[in-house]
Amino acid sequence: MFAIGDLALVLGEDGKPVPGVSPAAMQMARHVARIIGDELDLGPGRAPRPPFHYWDKGTMATIGRSAAVAWVGKLHFSGLLAWLAWLLIHLIFLVGFRNKLAVLFQWSYSYFTYKRSARLIISLPLEQDDVRRL
């Protein structure tokens, strides 16, 4: 049995806990998947279980309109530059060109008009009559 992400307390090489953020959880998931794959190939108890090593790629957070903070290694910056870096990183990790373009358009619209895009909460599955009423 394995525990990863927010369920696990993993100590880094420096003895401090690995942060409970999605990049750490994704690294843990890849690590555990490799171990499970090796054990499926070689049999239980025959595959080595190497220790987990967390690679901190940095931390970014938006704190307001055109404002963010970023820590990447020893480099710390904030303000508009950090906010633009945050936007760029999030766009890069979206899957598919159309998704990136749609999100960029929605963010631009929201930024320049000071309006939020529509957020709909609907129950599924929808019947044909329900769709016509929307």
Side-chain angles (χ1 to χ4, degrees):
M1 181 179 299
F2 293 95
I4 60 171
D6 293 346
L7 293 173
L9 172 63
V10 179
L11 298 179
E13 293 173 0
D14 59 357
K16 295 180 181 176
V18 172
V21 294
S22 66
M26 292 183 331
Q27 289 178 36
M28 288 178 203
R30 278 192 293 276
H31 180 74
V32 169
R34 270 189 235 112
I35 290 172
I36 291 172
D38 289 345
E39 289 190 3
L40 288 173
D41 291 341
L42 301 173
R46 294 186 175 186
R49 288 190 172 184
F52 174 73
H53 299 286
Y54 173 62
W55 177 39
D56 187 2
K57 298 176 185 175
T59 303
M60 296 179 138
T62 59
I63 56 174
R65 187 177 178 81
S66 300
V69 292
W71 296 270
V72 182
K74 293 184 180 187
L75 181 63
H76 296 220
F77 54 104
S78 61
L80 180 62
L81 179 63
W83 186 74
L84 290 171
W86 184 91
L87 290 175
L88 179 67
I89 294 296
H90 281 76
L91 283 174
I92 287 171
F93 283 102
L94 286 177
V95 177
F97 178 76
R98 290 180 70 190
N99 288 338
K100 293 176 186 184
L101 198 59
V103 169
L104 180 61
F105 177 74
Q106 289 171 351
W107 285 353
S108 298
Y109 176 79
S110 296
Y111 183 81
F112 290 114
T113 63
Y114 289 87
K115 293 181 182 177
R116 289 184 168 180
S117 59
R119 295 185 178 143
L120 301 175
I121 300 174
I122 57 175
S123 63
L124 294 176
L126 293 174
E127 299 296 327
Q128 189 65 27
D129 294 338
D130 296 332
V131 174
R132 283 192 211 121
R133 281 184 265 174
L134 291 175

